Amino acid sequence: MEAEALFRRQCAACLKEDGTADGQRLIKLVLDTYRQANRNLAEQSRLLEIVLNHLPLGLCIFDSGQRLVVSNIRFQQLFGLETDDTRAGTSISSLIAKIDGLEKSEVRGTTREDRSDVGRIRRREWDMNDGRIIQSVVTVLPDGSNISIHADITDDRKAAERIAFLAHHDPLTGLPNRIRFREQMDTALAARKPDDQIALIHLNLDRFKSVNNTLGVSAGDKILRQVADRLRALAGKSNILARLGSDEFAILQCGRDQPWNVMALADQIRRELSEPFFRGEKAVELSVSMGIAINPKDGTETEVLLKHAGVALSHAKSGGRRGERFFTSEMEAQLEARHALEADLRRAVHNEEFELHYQPLYDMAARRICGFEALLRWNHPTRGRIAPMEFIPLAEEVGLIVDIGRWVLKRACMDAAAWPADIKVAVNVSAIQFISSDLEEDVSTALAVSELSPARLEIEITESVLMENREEALPILHALRQRGIRISMDDFGTGYSSLSYLSSFPFDKIKIDKSFVNDIVDNKEAYAIMRAIILLGDALGMRVTVEGVETAQQHDLLAQEACDEIQGYHISSPRPAFDVPQLLAGSHAQGQAQAM
Ligand code: C2E
Ligand code: CA
Ligand code: CA
C-alpha cells in the first residue's frame, strides 16, 4: 500500500497544468526512489553483516526444510567448520556430520523445551572432542524454520563445577569435607546389611597448633597435605576418608570383624603418621589421637556416631594423647560432668570465686621465710573448695586460664605489696598465657596497680612453656627478666627434657619436683639423684628450691646440701593471705632464735 501511495504522489507531482503527465519527470522520480531504496538495502545488509560477524555468539538460521539460510563466522569457529561447510542451502544433517563432537542426547536440566511468544525454545549441549562444551539455544518458529545461537560455556561450566566441588570438599587436601562426609555416612548406614559393622575413626593431630605457630602456616599446610596423602594411601578405595576441620580427619570403615579391623587400621595410621614430615634438619614429628565408635553398638545414626567418636577422641586427648580410644557410655557421663564444670568455671571467672593461698619459700641459709608461692583455690558455691589440678587443665584447654591468670598476677602482686620489702611472691604461669595473651602487658599492669617492685616478683613456668611455644615464649621471658623479674623452672625433673631446656634460657631458679624428695631419707639412690640435681643447679649459678619437704629428716638432709630454699608442709601448707603476717612473725622469731 505504501508503494502505491508513493506512486500516486509521484504521478500527481508530474501532472502538468493542462492535465497531461510529464513522462520524463515521472521516470526520473521513480528511478530516484529505486536508487535510494537500493542504497538503503545495501546499507542494511552491510550493518547486518557487521552485527552477525561481531556477535560473540554463533548464530544460524535454518528454513522450514532444515537448510541453512545464514550463519556467522563465530558459528564456524565454535564448531570448527570451514566457510564451504556453511554455504546457504546446506542441510542440518550434513552440518552435524562435519562437527568434531557429540551432541549430548540427554543433558539433565539443559535439554529443556520452553515455550515463548515466538516459538518453542530448545537448549542443547555439545561435548566437543577438544574438551569444550558448547551450548545451543534453538528457537523453532511455527513454520518449522529455526534460529539458533551457540556459546562456548566451558569456563562457566568449570567454574560451576569447582563451586559445587568446593561446597563438598576441602580445597587444601581435596578430601571430602564435613558436609560431604555426613552424606557419605548417611548412605553407608542406609546400605548396611544386618551383619555389617561400620567403624568411624575421628582423628586429630596432637599439638598441631604449635607446629603452625613455630613453622608458619604454609609449612603447616604442607604437612596437612602430606597427612592427607598418607591417610589416602591407608584408607584405599574401600574406606571413606574426609577432612573435618583444620587438623581433624575421619575415616569410615565398612565391613565385619570389628573391632579387630578398625584396631589394625588405627595401628597403621598411628605408625604412618609418626614417620617424620620433611626431611633433614627441618624434620617434624607428629603424633595422632583417635576416637573410635562402631555402628550399630555405639549408634545407628550419623549424628550419634560422629558425636560418640568425638567423645572418645577427647578422652584420647586428655589421656595423654598419642593413642586411640573406643567409645564407652561412661565416657559420655564424664564428658557431661566436664561440660558442667566448664560452665561453672566460666561463671566463676565472672563472679570472682577464686582465692589465692600462699605457701612459704624457706631460705635455708637465713633460716627464715624469704617468699611465698601463690596457689590458686576455687571456692565453688555448692562443691566447696576445688584444688587447682581439678580445674586448671580444663581452664587451659578452654582458654579461661588467660583471664584467671591475669587475675592471679594482679591479686598476688597486690597482696605481696603489703608484705615486708624483702619477701618475694612467686606466681605460676601457664603455657597458654604466653600465646593467648600479652603476658608482658599483664605483668606490667599488675606491677603498676600494686606498686610492687619487679625484683620481688618470680614467675614459675614448667618446661611445657618452652616445649610448646619456644619461639613466642623466649622473647617474652627475656623481656621480663630484663625488667628485673625472676624466672623459675618449676617441677624440674618431671618432664621429658628438663635438662635441655635449662641451657635454652638463663633461669634464676630451678624448683626440684616433690617426687624427688619423697624417698631421700630411706633410699640412698633417691638421695644421690637429689644431690646431683642440686649440684647441677648450683653449678649453673641458679638458685635451687626443693619442693614437697614434709619432714624434719628431709629438711636436715637437705641442710647439708647446696640447697638454697625449701618448700613444703614441713614449713607450712599453703594458707590464706590473711595468715601471711602470722607465718612471717613465727619464721622471723625462729630465724632470730637460730641466729643467737
Ligand atoms: P606446683 O606449682 O608444683 O605447686 C605446688 C603444689 O604442691 C601445690 O599444690 C601445693 O599445695 C603442693 N604441696 C606443697 N607442699 C607440699 C608437700 O609438702 N607435700 C605435697 N605432697 N604437696 C605439697 P596445689 O596448690 O594443689 O597446686 C597444684 C598445681 O596447680 C601447682 O603445682 C601448679 O602447677 C598449679 N597451680 C596452682 N596455682 C596456679 C595458678 O595460679 N596458675 C597456674 N597456671 N597454675 C597454678
Ligand atoms: Ca609452682
Ligand atoms: Ca612445682
Side-chain angles (χ1 to χ4, degrees):
M1 269 327 262
E2 210 176 301
E4 198 182 315
L6 178 65
F7 187 59
R8 279 182 193 282
R9 272 207 308 281
Q10 284 168 338
C11 290
C14 297
L15 275 184
K16 290 195 277 197
E17 278 178 3
D18 60 1
T20 59
D22 179 345
Q24 286 300 322
R25 187 166 151 74
L26 183 60
I27 290 169
K28 185 180 179 304
L29 276 179
V30 171
L31 282 181
D32 280 353
T33 306
Y34 275 126
R35 284 185 193 122
Q36 184 58 41
N38 267 342
R39 276 199 294 276
N40 288 351
L41 203 63
E43 178 63 13
Q44 268 176 18
S45 46
R46 199 180 65 86
L47 270 177
L48 190 66
E49 188 140 333
I50 291 176
V51 170
L52 272 183
N53 290 327
H54 286 82
L55 206 62
L57 301 165
L59 181 137
C60 48
I61 298 172
F62 289 92
D63 63 18
S64 55
Q66 308 307 308
R67 289 189 176 273
L68 189 61
V69 177
V70 70
S71 67
N72 66 355
I73 296 173
R74 184 74 187 134
F75 171 71
Q76 292 172 22
Q77 290 166 343
L78 281 175
F79 288 100
L81 298 167
E82 303 290 328
T83 313
D84 264 357
D85 301 332
T86 55
R87 296 230 173 275
T90 313
S91 70
I92 281 196
S93 49
S94 69
L95 255 185
I96 288 179
K98 287 184 181 132
I99 290 176
D100 224 4
L102 270 187
E103 185 180 1
K104 277 192 203 167
S105 53
E106 197 190 331
V107 188
R108 215 189 322 155
T110 48
T111 328
R112 286 201 317 260
E113 258 201 20
D114 301 337
R115 281 201 166 273
S116 77
D117 292 341
V118 258
R120 284 175 296 141
I121 295 177
R122 286 199 194 127
R123 280 165 228 271
R124 302 240 164 97
E125 257 178 49
W126 294 81
D127 275 340
M128 303 302 287
N129 289 354
D130 58 9
R132 288 174 306 133
I133 304 169
I134 293 170
Q135 189 183 56
S136 306
V137 180
V138 185
T139 306
V140 185
L141 301 177
D143 67 354
S145 62
N146 62 67
I147 306 164
S148 52
I149 49 173
H150 315 267
D152 184 339
I153 58 161
T154 320
D155 290 345
D156 294 354
R157 182 56 53 84
K158 277 202 184 130
E161 277 168 5
R162 178 102 191 113
I163 289 167
F165 180 84
L166 287 180
H168 291 99
H169 290 82
D170 154 44
L172 183 69
T173 61
L175 289 177
N177 64 10
R178 192 182 281 272
I179 299 169
R180 180 85 190 103
F181 187 65
R182 274 174 205 266
E183 290 170 3
Q184 289 172 312
M185 271 186 82
D186 285 343
T187 314
L189 288 173
R192 189 182 83 89
K193 296 192 192 75
D195 288 342
D196 284 355
Q197 288 165 308
I198 301 175
L200 168 65
I201 309 181
H202 184 171
L203 55 120
N204 183 280
L205 305 175
D206 298 331
R207 299 205 170 89
F208 187 72
K209 268 206 190 81
S210 74
V211 170
N212 248 351
N213 286 338
T214 41
L215 300 180
V217 178
S218 74
D221 282 355
K222 261 193 203 147
I223 292 179
L224 284 172
R225 272 198 292 264
Q226 289 185 25
V227 167
D229 290 343
R230 292 185 193 184
L231 289 174
R232 220 183 246 123
L234 283 178
K237 290 247 181 304
S238 51
N239 302 312
I240 299 167
L241 172 66
R243 180 174 177 217
L244 301 186
S246 62
D247 54 355
E248 276 177 63
F249 297 84
I251 297 185
L252 199 67
Q253 189 188 46
C254 302
R256 292 175 193 183
D257 296 328
Q258 298 296 14
W260 318 115
N261 275 334
V262 72
M263 273 165 88
L265 180 59
D267 212 46
Q268 280 178 309
I269 293 174
R270 192 162 14 78
R271 263 185 286 137
E272 195 59 42
L273 294 188
S274 62
E275 287 293 317
F277 292 84
F278 306 147
R279 301 271 157 226
E281 258 178 50
K282 286 195 171 158
V284 177
E285 292 198 11
L286 282 182
S287 62
V288 60
S289 300
M290 290 175 268
I292 303 171
I294 298 175
N295 157 276
K297 174 174 78 69
D298 301 330
T300 50
E301 288 160 32
T302 297
E303 221 41 56
V304 178
L305 272 178
L306 274 172
K307 180 175 159 220
H308 287 171
V311 169
L313 174 66
S314 50
H315 270 257
K317 284 258 168 211
S318 54
R321 306 183 170 108
R322 293 172 181 272
E324 61 266 0
R325 289 276 200 292
F326 282 88
F327 172 76
T328 63
S329 48
E330 295 85 66
M331 284 181 176
E332 207 171 19
Q334 277 178 35
L335 195 78
E336 269 157 28
R338 233 178 79 103
H339 284 323
L341 188 68
E342 187 188 327
D344 286 356
L345 198 54
R346 287 189 191 279
R347 222 188 19 241
V349 175
H350 189 249
N351 295 350
E352 298 223 346
E353 291 168 14
F354 298 108
E355 183 189 354
L356 286 183
H357 280 199
Y358 291 96
Q359 184 175 37
L361 293 154
Y362 183 83
D363 186 313
M364 293 292 266
R367 298 184 178 184
R368 60 193 200 88
I369 293 172
C370 57
F372 289 88
E373 176 176 2
L375 292 159
L376 188 60
R377 302 291 177 259
W378 177 11
N379 298 314
H380 190 281
T382 55
R383 292 172 56 187
R385 184 164 290 159
I386 304 182
M389 291 322 286
E390 280 182 56
F391 67 88
I392 285 183
L394 178 63
E396 288 177 335
E397 219 171 285
V398 300
L400 282 170
I401 195 68
V402 170
D403 289 336
I404 299 175
R406 202 174 282 135
W407 179 86
V408 169
L409 269 168
K410 207 188 266 180
R411 184 74 261 156
C413 291
M414 306 255 278
D415 286 344
W419 304 338
D422 58 344
I423 302 294
K424 300 193 178 72
V425 67
V427 175
N428 293 284
V429 173
S430 291
I432 310 291
Q433 290 173 262
F434 281 83
I435 3 175
S436 309
S437 73
D438 189 343
L439 187 64
E440 262 183 88
E441 162 121 23
D442 291 349
V443 168
S444 298
T445 313
L447 290 173
V449 294
S450 62
E451 293 178 21
L452 186 77
S453 152
R456 290 177 63 194
L457 177 63
E458 286 182 359
I459 297 287
E460 294 191 7
I461 62 161
T462 58
E463 69 166 42
S464 64
V465 168
L466 291 174
M467 215 162 85
E468 286 172 28
N469 7 273
R470 196 189 172 84
E471 308 290 307
E472 282 114 326
L474 277 180
I476 301 174
L477 286 173
H478 280 291
L480 291 173
R481 201 159 177 272
Q482 206 84 49
R483 299 189 48 191
I485 296 156
R486 278 164 232 264
I487 313 289
S488 311
M489 177 176 264
D490 202 358
D491 301 344
F492 185 80
T494 53
Y496 298 103
S497 41
S498 306
L499 279 180
S500 72
Y501 289 111
L502 271 192
S503 58
S504 65
F505 183 78
F507 288 97
D508 297 284
K509 184 195 263 191
I510 56 174
K511 297 186 78 178
I512 303 177
D513 189 70
K514 47 187 172 293
S515 57
F516 289 89
V517 84
N518 289 340
D519 291 340
I520 56 166
V521 173
D522 305 317
N523 181 328
K524 278 208 175 80
E525 275 136 34
Y527 184 43
I529 293 174
M530 171 64 84
R531 280 192 77 179
I533 305 179
I534 294 175
L535 285 172
L536 173 79
D538 204 43
L540 290 170
M542 299 171 183
R543 264 179 93 76
V544 176
T545 303
V546 175
E547 289 189 282
V549 177
E550 293 182 352
T551 67
Q553 289 113 300
Q554 289 169 344
H555 168 268
D556 292 347
L557 271 184
L558 291 166
Q560 298 167 26
E561 305 302 330
C563 159
D564 303 296
E565 289 173 15
I566 60 167
Q567 182 182 357
Y569 298 159
H570 174 61
I571 305 298
S572 165
S573 61
R575 306 280 284 277
F578 181 77
D579 290 349
V580 166
Q582 197 191 333
L583 284 166
L584 280 175
S587 144
H588 197 59
Q590 195 192 6
Q592 277 179 340
Q594 301 266 12
M596 276 197 270

